Amino acid sequence: MKISDLSVLNKFNKDNIIVEKLDTLINWSRANSQWYFQFGLACCAIEMMAAAGPRHDLDRFGAIPRASPRQSDVMIVAGTVTLKMAERVKRLYEQMSDPKYVISMGSCSNSGGPYWQHGYHVLKGVDLIIPVDVYVPGCPPRPEALIQGILELQKKIKLESSLGKEV
Amino acid sequence: MKIIDIFKLLNEKFSDSIEYLDDSCFVKASPSKWEDLAVFIKDNNKLKFDYLMCISSYDSGNKETYGVAYNFKSTSIGHELEIRIEITDKESIPSIAHLWGAADWHEREAYDMMGLKFDNHPNFKRILLPEDWSGYPLRKDFETPEYYRGMRIPKDKTYWE
């Protein structure tokens, strides 16, 4: 199954009947409604806001900000994760309902970034406490880079199989 | 007023607790009379230091003394003054948070980062770091802990390589 074949809409023919795996339908809906958790930790949050704004318009991909962890599917860790904040980030991740995904945005949350050697107070990569699906490099990444991260996550979600065996 | 004139004025009353070096641009004070001195520079008609611009703390590097530098300005007269107080780890400095409100958070930060203790502060606790953090990070001899609440803090590149 190729990723390009996954657009269910293309499969409608004249009689408006579509035959497809249920997995495809579920993945199609999940991949195109990535409601992300609205919180930012540092300067990357500014770029995330720009990505959500009218010029870059993340809403095109079904990604809209939600202010509650219960309602969000994706956590965009946008910024420096200090040790004081790390426990809060972990708790918020645990409060999200499955299926949940994490995008690590920017150098700081990827690896500690500029704080990697002398930052006594910085967690050296958010993947030390929560599992990360997509890493977006940059310091901070441009909104286009974050959008590519969202699209990469879409590709990843579309390969999932929530009902049958793992693909 | 120039700083040497300010020093001469202070020296009339606090000659035993202040010090001025020829090549410096600050007045060094001892912590014992600091509270009286602070009231004096705030209320004296020739000084009128109504604005505390900044409190900086520093580590002198000899593993004994740590210092704190107060920068005052008078908004009505326009002159400025830097007062430094150096203490050892066992001593403490009287708080001036009741005289200049700006001192409240600045003193807490000096405690948080450099471990300087201030007496009679209204809310004396760490301001930036977590309450259970051990050590004072801006001291020269501070060693980053290996772990904080189970989270490892790698210190060199071998973690990535």
Side-chain angles (χ1 to χ4, degrees):
Chain A
M1 188 167 64
K2 287 181 195 166
I3 291 168
S4 55
D5 298 337
L6 271 171
S7 179
V8 183
L9 286 173
N10 292 339
K11 297 203 169 187
F12 280 111
N13 45 29
K14 286 174 187 170
D15 52 4
N16 279 347
I17 291 173
I18 182 169
V19 179
E20 189 48 279
K21 285 187 289 183
L22 188 56
D23 262 347
T24 312
L25 181 68
I26 291 172
N27 289 344
W28 177 61
S29 64
R30 273 184 188 166
N32 291 297
S33 64
Q34 297 179 41
W35 293 6
Y36 58 91
F37 190 17
Q38 183 186 27
F39 80 108
L41 299 178
C43 36
C44 279
I46 302 292
E47 299 295 310
M48 187 175 74
M49 285 179 243
R55 182 175 285 260
H56 296 282
D57 200 14
L58 264 184
D59 207 353
R60 294 179 285 165
F61 308 104
I64 54 168
R66 299 302 295 179
S68 160
R70 311 278 183 203
Q71 299 170 349
S72 37
D73 311 300
V74 183
M75 174 186 260
I76 300 176
V77 185
T80 315
V81 187
T82 58
L83 292 168
K84 197 175 177 180
M85 194 64 196
E87 291 197 322
R88 278 84 166 168
V89 170
K90 192 179 178 192
R91 177 173 295 182
L92 288 169
Y93 175 76
E94 285 162 354
Q95 284 178 347
M96 286 164 69
S97 50
D98 280 322
K100 51 192 173 185
Y101 307 95
V102 176
I103 295 177
S104 169
M105 182 184 180
S107 298
C108 291
S109 63
N110 288 345
S111 68
Y115 309 98
W116 67 267
Q117 189 169 22
H118 300 296
Y120 59 91
H121 61 304
V122 174
L123 188 71
K124 309 296 163 69
V126 76
D127 50 1
L128 287 170
I129 50 165
I130 55 176
V132 175
D133 293 282
V134 176
Y135 297 87
V136 180
C139 187
R142 284 189 56 82
E144 293 93 325
L146 179 62
I147 290 169
Q148 196 190 355
I150 297 266
L151 295 177
E152 291 295 321
L153 185 58
Q154 283 192 354
K155 284 184 195 169
K156 192 173 176 178
I157 293 171
K158 282 171 180 172
L159 290 171
E160 277 183 355
S161 177
S162 48
L163 299 170
K165 290 178 183 172
E166 291 291 314
V167 184
Chain B
M1 278 172 99
K2 285 185 177 175
I3 188 151
I4 186 70
D5 302 322
I6 295 171
F7 174 76
K8 279 172 186 163
L9 184 66
L10 296 178
N11 207 24
E12 292 168 13
K13 209 176 170 189
F14 301 97
S15 57
D16 53 337
S17 59
I18 59 171
E19 187 183 345
Y20 180 80
L21 305 170
D22 286 337
D23 57 345
S24 65
C25 53
F26 58 88
V27 174
K28 212 168 176 181
S30 72
S32 55
K33 287 271 181 67
W34 169 228
E35 207 160 3
D36 299 337
L37 182 63
V39 172
F40 180 76
I41 63 167
K42 193 184 181 194
D43 294 342
N44 188 283
N45 278 334
K46 286 181 183 166
L47 299 174
K48 283 186 182 171
F49 285 109
D50 51 353
Y51 177 31
L52 173 61
M53 293 191 288
C54 191
I55 297 180
S56 326
S57 59
Y58 58 93
D59 183 346
S60 56
N62 57 14
K63 294 186 179 176
E64 284 176 7
T65 52
Y66 302 91
V68 57
Y70 299 82
N71 288 90
F72 296 100
K73 188 180 175 73
S74 168
T75 52
S76 53
I77 302 171
H79 56 198
E80 294 175 8
L81 172 68
E82 177 169 340
I83 291 181
R84 292 192 189 182
I85 299 174
E86 285 193 359
I87 55 167
T88 62
D89 217 1
K90 290 166 189 165
E91 292 172 292
S92 58
I93 302 171
S95 170
I96 53 166
H98 59 285
L99 297 169
W100 291 273
D104 186 336
W105 284 12
H106 276 108
E107 284 175 353
R108 280 175 65 188
E109 191 180 355
Y111 167 67
D112 199 3
M113 293 293 162
M114 200 64 80
L116 300 166
K117 292 174 187 64
F118 293 88
D119 292 331
N120 302 322
H121 189 282
N123 182 26
F124 198 58
K125 60 182 184 184
R126 285 191 185 271
I127 188 169
L128 295 168
L129 289 164
E131 298 259 324
D132 62 343
W133 187 270
S134 64
Y136 305 104
L138 288 188
R139 287 191 174 185
K140 300 273 185 203
D141 55 356
F142 176 76
E143 293 278 343
T144 307
E146 290 288 322
Y147 288 89
Y148 171 71
R149 292 201 190 174
M151 289 175 282
R152 192 163 149 247
I153 312 173
K155 286 176 210 146
D156 54 50
K157 273 186 177 174
T158 52
Y159 166 64
W160 286 275
E161 287 166 356

